[in-house]
Amino acid sequence: MAWADLRAFLTHLDRAGDLHRVRVPVDPRLEVTEIVTRVVRAGGPALLFERPEGADMPLAINVFGTEARMAAALGVERLDDIGTRIGEMLRPELPVGFGGVRSALGKAAQLTSLPPRRVRTAPCQDVILKGSDVDLNLLPGVHAWPQDGGKFLNLGLTHTKHPETGARNLGMYRLQQHDARTVGMHWQIHKDSNAHHAVAERRGERLPVAIAFGCDPAVTYASSAPLPAEIDEYLFAGFLRRERVEMVDCLTVPLQVPANAQVVLEGWLEPGERIPEGPFGDHTGFYTPVEPFPALHIDVMTMQRDPVFQGIVVGRPPQEDGPMGKATERIFLPLIRMMIPEIVDYDLPEAGVFHNCAIVSIEKRFPKHAQKVMNAVWGAGLLSLSKLIIVVDADCDVHDYHEVAWRAFGNVDYAHDLVTTIGPVDHLDHASYEQFYGGKVGVDATRKLPTEGYRRDGGWPEEIVMDPDIRDRVTRRWKEYGL
């Protein structure tokens, strides 16, 4: 089902007993982070801080903090359900018979729900603040970690468009509040909005920007999804919701924003202007250093009446962004398999903050097949940032890290099964000796073939597996053993 807005989803969580209201005053400087971190690690509920100190509206946080809650936010029971829908739409078979035609028409009908729908009036513009009335201090920005450079307005959905083609981009970037009317735009080197800004600067033009907070969960997730530049995030959000997203024209910039957003900021980036941004305690678990980034000057701030501000705390895993990353892993599996068909499944461990490590299982068919897959993964979108790729056979459960470790530790001759290379790494990677690129490793933990040079007598040994009849017998008699 589609949630009309953030409030509708919070109401659902409240009724399900999965939302806790913190009614006492809480300081957004450090105190919120310590509370949220403990709740996340306990698998606890979403939180609504009703009285954040120094702000004028409540703060919703940890809204996506479990896989079950992330699935509910996207209207499914399991995150894999969305990947299944995508996989069915990608199947290229021609329809056979009436049933096949009906199925094909059903797939096509899904597409009618995708394009966003423009509306003339919207709740997000019920309250309008302009010029000197704009005050970002009304928002409960979080100073998450002791050495952070100040308050950050995270989980904002940043809207830009290409100055030449007009193509829209929706992205999620951290936003440092510099003063009551200015935020820093931390968009990284690989991001589409950064490319839009570069084109605008080359043309000597200002870039219009709109930032929406507290959108419906599908839209918020879509802003974080690693979609190709030519795919509109709002088409994807419509697919997730099975309903069109309603959008309204901004008041002062030539952009559109979700009609049911809680808060919207509108402004312009001046060409050439940079302000030091950071430090920031990031999802890597380390502080990222101060760097110059564009500064957005807010001309207009609009909001709903009695809005709820949605934020997020990031830091050393586990944190709320973990289930968001897991959603991306499961949803995009069919697309990964379309690019690299021999992949059976993959896992992006949260401890590797989803881009440092990829565990991949394959149907191995020929010598050095694992190495072929490694290079394909290093050429696949944002998976190109993976620093470690572990390739296992199809019968290995990539989500069982104990089994993966057993394969990776025992099935590898590091003189033959290790691939090392250099390539792009994440902007936030602190371990690479040079920013933006560094060393990468691929580990071939598959069974080795004679044609790969494994010449030992008898070939690759057979795994120890118990006789299935004995397993069944022991299962039937388990209570007799008194265990």
Side-chain angles (χ1 to χ4, degrees):
M1 65 176 294
W3 303 106
D5 57 15
L6 173 63
R7 287 180 182 276
F9 184 56
L10 293 178
T11 298
H12 163 77
L13 295 179
D14 203 7
R15 291 172 177 169
D18 205 14
L19 174 73
H20 178 75
R21 296 175 179 270
V22 181
R23 304 184 188 278
V24 300
V26 175
D27 191 346
R29 188 183 189 282
L30 306 184
E31 189 176 4
V32 163
T33 300
E34 182 62 18
I35 294 169
V36 171
T37 299
R38 294 187 187 192
V39 172
V40 168
R41 291 178 181 175
L47 299 171
L48 184 65
F49 293 97
E50 296 186 340
R51 299 168 62 189
E53 294 177 2
D56 200 43
M57 61 189 70
L59 170 65
I61 204 163
N62 197 33
V63 174
F64 305 134
T66 66
E67 285 190 40
R69 207 150 57 237
M70 187 71 242
L74 299 179
V76 294
E77 292 186 7
R78 299 167 54 254
L79 293 172
D80 283 288
D81 294 344
I82 300 172
T84 299
R85 280 180 63 206
I86 292 175
E88 289 174 350
M89 291 187 67
L90 292 175
R91 288 177 186 167
E93 304 97 331
L94 292 174
V96 177
F98 177 76
V101 171
R102 183 172 60 184
S103 175
L105 290 175
K107 293 180 183 180
Q110 293 187 53
L111 300 177
T112 63
S113 68
L114 301 187
R117 178 172 56 235
R118 179 177 174 272
V119 296
R120 294 183 179 275
T121 60
C124 70
Q125 295 175 347
D126 284 345
V127 178
I128 301 172
L129 303 177
K130 296 183 177 181
S132 60
D133 290 333
V134 172
D135 186 2
L136 297 176
N137 293 310
L138 299 173
L139 310 178
V142 175
H143 186 132
W145 302 102
Q147 295 179 38
D148 279 0
K151 290 193 293 185
F152 285 81
L153 306 172
N154 293 328
L155 220 65
L157 280 57
T158 299
H159 299 72
T160 60
K161 66 178 182 180
H162 194 287
E164 296 173 344
T165 68
R168 172 171 50 207
N169 183 67
L170 174 65
M172 184 181 291
Y173 317 107
R174 77 182 192 225
L175 306 160
Q176 182 174 354
Q177 179 180 331
H178 291 302
D179 56 43
R181 293 183 56 192
T182 308
V183 294
M185 307 298 299
H186 187 278
W187 44 39
Q188 300 163 23
I189 189 172
H190 306 106
K191 303 300 184 179
D192 293 329
S193 288
N194 181 60
H196 291 181
H197 186 228
V199 173
E201 287 197 315
R202 189 176 69 241
R203 293 161 59 99
E205 299 173 354
R206 300 191 302 166
L207 184 74
V209 177
I211 305 172
F213 296 91
C215 300
D216 87 71
V219 171
T220 297
Y221 169 72
S223 72
S224 73
L227 296 169
E230 61 272 15
I231 302 297
D232 185 354
E233 286 81 6
Y234 281 102
L235 293 176
F236 184 58
F239 171 82
L240 294 175
R241 304 175 81 248
R242 299 178 187 264
E243 291 183 12
R244 294 183 178 186
V245 178
E246 292 189 344
M247 304 188 72
V248 67
D249 291 339
C250 291
L251 301 180
T252 59
V253 293
L255 298 167
Q256 293 181 334
V257 291
N260 291 313
Q262 297 292 310
V263 177
V264 176
L265 309 178
E266 301 179 15
W268 297 82
L269 291 174
E270 299 293 336
E273 183 179 10
R274 301 289 189 276
I275 290 180
E277 192 266 2
F280 178 71
D282 223 309
H283 66 277
T284 60
F286 294 85
Y287 289 100
T288 51
V290 176
E291 293 184 85
F293 278 96
L296 179 67
H297 302 286
I298 310 302
D299 298 320
V300 171
M301 179 176 178
T302 70
M303 63 187 76
Q304 295 194 23
R305 293 185 178 88
D306 301 318
V308 175
F309 188 81
Q310 185 179 4
I312 190 171
V313 167
V314 299
R316 180 175 175 174
Q319 291 289 355
E320 182 182 351
D321 55 353
M324 297 177 71
K326 182 58 67 172
T328 294
E329 175 199 290
R330 303 325 301 160
I331 289 171
F332 285 86
L333 174 60
L335 297 176
I336 298 299
R337 295 182 67 181
M338 189 175 184
M339 292 186 290
I340 314 171
E342 52 267 70
I343 287 181
V344 174
D345 200 357
Y346 77 131
D347 185 278
L348 306 175
E350 183 179 3
V353 293
F354 296 102
H355 57 252
N356 283 335
C357 177
I359 304 167
V360 181
S361 60
I362 66 168
E363 291 282 1
K364 184 172 178 177
R365 302 195 311 273
F366 50 80
K368 300 301 179 182
H369 198 165
Q371 285 78 355
K372 180 264 187 187
V373 170
M374 293 173 196
N375 285 289
V377 170
W378 279 321
L382 288 181
L383 283 176
S384 64
L385 304 180
S386 302
K387 296 201 295 183
L388 170 63
I389 299 175
I390 301 172
V391 182
V392 295
D393 288 298
D395 62 348
C396 178
D397 180 358
V398 294
H399 311 295
D400 183 340
Y401 297 156
H402 188 274
E403 182 178 1
V404 171
W406 178 68
R407 307 273 182 133
F409 297 164
N411 282 8
V412 177
D413 178 342
Y414 290 103
H416 298 87
D417 303 329
L418 199 65
V419 174
T420 61
T421 187
I422 295 175
V425 298
D426 187 72
H427 187 126
L428 304 176
D429 191 284
H430 62 281
S432 58
Y433 283 40
E434 299 289 341
Q435 192 174 29
F436 306 131
Y437 71 93
K440 296 166 176 284
V441 172
V443 178
D444 178 1
T446 62
R447 300 177 183 91
K448 304 309 182 297
L449 305 173
T451 48
E452 293 178 295
Y454 189 83
R455 307 291 186 187
R456 295 177 62 173
D457 291 344
W460 193 261
E462 188 174 343
E463 284 184 28
I464 301 171
V465 179
M466 179 51 67
D467 184 286
D469 291 338
I470 295 297
R471 286 204 306 265
D472 292 343
R473 176 184 177 184
V474 169
T475 299
R476 290 193 305 269
R477 299 190 58 193
W478 189 254
K479 291 184 179 179
E480 296 180 34
Y481 305 141
L483 297 174

